[in-house]
Amino acid sequence: MNDDARFTAHKITVLLIDDQAMIGEAVRRMLLGEEDVEFHSCRDASRALDEALRIKPTVILQDLVMPDIDGLTLVKEFRARPETRDVPMIVLSTKEEPAVKAEAFALGANDYVVKLPDRLELIARIRYHSRGYIALLQRNEAHAALLESQKRLTEEVAQAARYVESLLPEKLTKGDVLTDWRFVPSAELGGDSFGHHWLDDDHFAFYLLDVSGHGVGAALLSVSAMNALRSQALPNTDFRDPGQVLHALNQAFQMDQQNNLYFTIWYGVFHKPTRSVRYSGGGHPPALLIDGPSPGETKLTMLESKGPMIGAIPELEYGQADAPLGPFAKIYLFSDGAYEIVKTDDQLWPFGDFIAFMGQGPFDDPHAPKMDALIAHDRALMGRDDFADDLSMIELTFRP
């Protein structure tokens, strides 16, 4: 609804509360010809509140001297009701009385007029106070509409997050490769997704991607790219060759066809016979290889992602590299939401501190997974539980 439509929905509505019929008729005549002004009068002060709730005035003109109820008491009652608390009130008096005027303003009156004023003055006061109240109503409606829109968006994002999570891979608890993962979506939902699967008896693919931006659009692109990898739907592509895979993704998901969204990715393939990993990356954080002769004797190696992001420039070639795996090897893939956090001192957590944290053991305690320790550490650094961006991480253990 535009501003003009909201304004016309709130016509200037005057409620006069005065026991004298002559005053009611005089005000009615003053307002004749004002097509945008609707006039109502109430001579019975005991019915004034009910009448105000019925007609929803944008301004109330109220006499201070009435037989059934004191005018100042009625002002106080209007201000005590949530429905009429903010309605402008112009009190009418037969003479200037500073003490009465001060008390009326103290109880919540907006204006004080000695009756009856000049027609032009009365209309000006009515319009002035009504405009302010109508603006308040419009702001309240806009705020309510915004809250409702935010509620719907939050529900849509939550549904999208559940959908993305339903597509994430089943954790492997037996076999040559064991997998575990954590997915903590942000309130706005980023574009994280990941997967892993055997390509054949000897090759195991694993990958994590992160779409730029937030919201349902980013999530949908992320799901589309993940489905292309999982179903091996990229034409003329050997999915055992990471460089080919990234080249094909770059061709299939150009930004100008994806609402100017792009994504980063790290893609690796484990070759079981040689116990090695071939990998390639496009604009993504490096994977972390934790390896050594035993869980207590390990070192951390960064498997760098050296290629550009996916979708920016067509026809790009992506290089690849190989990493041998020792008898004890773990690889961690993660999105930048794992470390790009603002600490309680309003400073970013340095990437080097994140690497140092990830390089610290133990790595073989089933009761204290490294990923859970990281999430708890992040939350402690931020001083809150929610994340500004999706946090995704996969842990792969390659059994000897």
Side-chain angles (χ1 to χ4, degrees):
M1 182 182 293
N2 60 38
D3 291 341
D4 291 340
R6 283 200 305 268
F7 185 83
T8 55
H10 296 289
K11 191 172 184 178
I12 295 176
T13 304
V14 179
L15 173 61
L16 171 68
I17 304 167
D18 196 305
D19 63 297
Q20 299 181 58
M22 180 179 64
I23 297 297
E25 179 60 19
V27 173
R28 186 188 72 80
R29 288 175 177 270
M30 286 182 178
L31 298 178
L32 281 176
E34 303 298 320
E35 296 182 358
D36 61 331
V37 178
E38 185 177 287
F39 176 70
H40 300 265
S41 65
C42 177
R43 295 177 59 191
D44 184 354
S46 65
R47 295 181 53 251
L49 276 169
D50 289 338
E51 190 68 3
L53 294 177
R54 184 182 70 82
I55 69 171
K56 296 180 173 57
T58 61
V59 64
I60 294 172
L61 306 179
Q62 186 206 292
D63 189 17
L64 287 181
V65 180
M66 291 178 286
D68 298 326
I69 187 171
D70 177 65
L72 292 176
T73 300
L74 189 56
V75 171
K76 188 175 181 180
E77 290 182 4
F78 272 117
R79 289 300 179 244
R81 294 289 294 267
E83 303 91 338
T84 56
R85 181 178 297 143
D86 298 317
V87 179
M89 297 191 70
I90 302 175
V91 293
L92 306 175
S93 181
T94 56
K95 59 183 177 178
E96 285 278 357
E97 294 180 291
V100 175
K101 183 186 292 187
E103 187 175 1
F105 284 128
L107 291 174
N110 300 87
D111 208 345
Y112 185 100
V113 174
V114 175
K115 62 179 182 183
L116 278 173
D118 177 78
R119 174 180 178 274
L120 292 179
E121 178 186 351
L122 181 63
I123 292 174
R125 289 175 186 265
I126 286 172
R127 290 190 181 281
Y128 172 77
H129 289 294
S130 290
R131 278 198 300 268
Y133 182 60
I134 289 171
L136 173 65
L137 293 176
Q138 291 171 351
R139 288 196 298 271
N140 290 344
E141 290 170 356
H143 181 65
L146 177 61
L147 290 179
E148 180 61 28
S149 176
Q150 289 175 333
K151 179 182 177 182
R152 289 196 303 270
L153 179 60
T154 298
E155 291 171 351
E156 290 175 0
V157 168
Q159 291 176 356
R162 289 192 294 269
Y163 175 62
V164 170
E165 191 160 3
S166 73
L167 298 177
L168 298 178
E170 182 179 352
K171 298 175 182 179
L172 304 180
T173 58
K174 59 183 179 179
D176 296 301
V177 183
L178 309 181
T179 66
D180 195 6
W181 51 261
R182 299 292 183 271
F183 175 60
V184 184
S186 65
E188 295 181 348
L189 185 61
D192 288 9
S193 61
F194 50 84
H196 52 66
H197 54 269
W198 286 97
L199 298 170
D200 54 41
D201 290 343
D202 291 334
H203 295 86
F204 181 81
F206 52 103
Y207 43 86
L208 190 149
L209 62 92
D210 183 2
V211 177
S212 61
H214 294 84
V216 176
L220 290 176
L221 175 56
S222 180
V223 168
S224 296
M226 183 172 67
N227 284 338
L229 293 171
R230 185 169 56 182
S231 62
Q232 301 180 48
L234 299 169
N236 304 316
T237 302
D238 183 352
F239 283 81
R240 299 169 299 180
D241 187 315
Q244 282 193 36
V245 171
L246 265 63
H247 172 80
L249 286 171
N250 186 60
Q251 292 300 105
F253 294 98
Q254 281 292 299
M255 288 175 61
D256 58 2
Q257 302 297 319
Q258 305 298 330
N259 199 28
N260 289 323
L261 296 175
Y262 64 87
F263 62 89
T264 67
I265 186 171
W266 195 100
Y267 181 94
V269 177
F270 170 61
H271 185 224
K272 178 179 173 181
T274 61
R275 195 169 171 78
S276 64
V277 169
R278 177 163 292 177
Y279 62 93
S280 184
H284 201 78
L288 304 182
L289 170 61
I290 309 292
D291 204 357
S294 69
E297 300 177 82
T298 60
K299 67 175 183 178
L300 182 149
T301 303
M302 288 191 286
L303 306 182
E304 296 284 359
S305 170
K306 296 183 178 180
M309 62 191 185
I310 303 296
I313 305 173
E315 303 299 341
L316 282 176
E317 299 296 332
Y318 287 81
Q320 55 192 17
D322 294 280
L325 303 183
F328 174 84
K330 286 182 181 288
I331 289 180
Y332 290 94
L333 306 184
F334 52 91
S335 63
D336 55 14
Y339 63 88
E340 286 189 348
I341 60 173
V342 178
K343 301 183 295 179
T344 54
D345 61 1
D346 293 328
Q347 300 297 310
L348 284 173
W349 189 30
F351 183 68
D353 290 359
F354 164 74
I355 295 298
F357 180 88
M358 291 300 298
Q360 299 171 358
F363 297 97
D364 60 343
D365 185 351
H367 303 293
K370 188 67 178 178
M371 293 181 292
D372 290 340
L374 171 69
I375 292 170
H377 187 66
D378 281 354
R379 285 173 168 158
L381 290 175
M382 295 187 297
R384 65 177 194 272
D385 288 342
D386 59 305
F387 286 80
D389 196 3
D390 290 358
L391 187 159
S392 299
M393 181 170 279
I394 311 175
E395 176 189 79
L396 303 107
T397 301
F398 301 89
R399 302 176 71 181

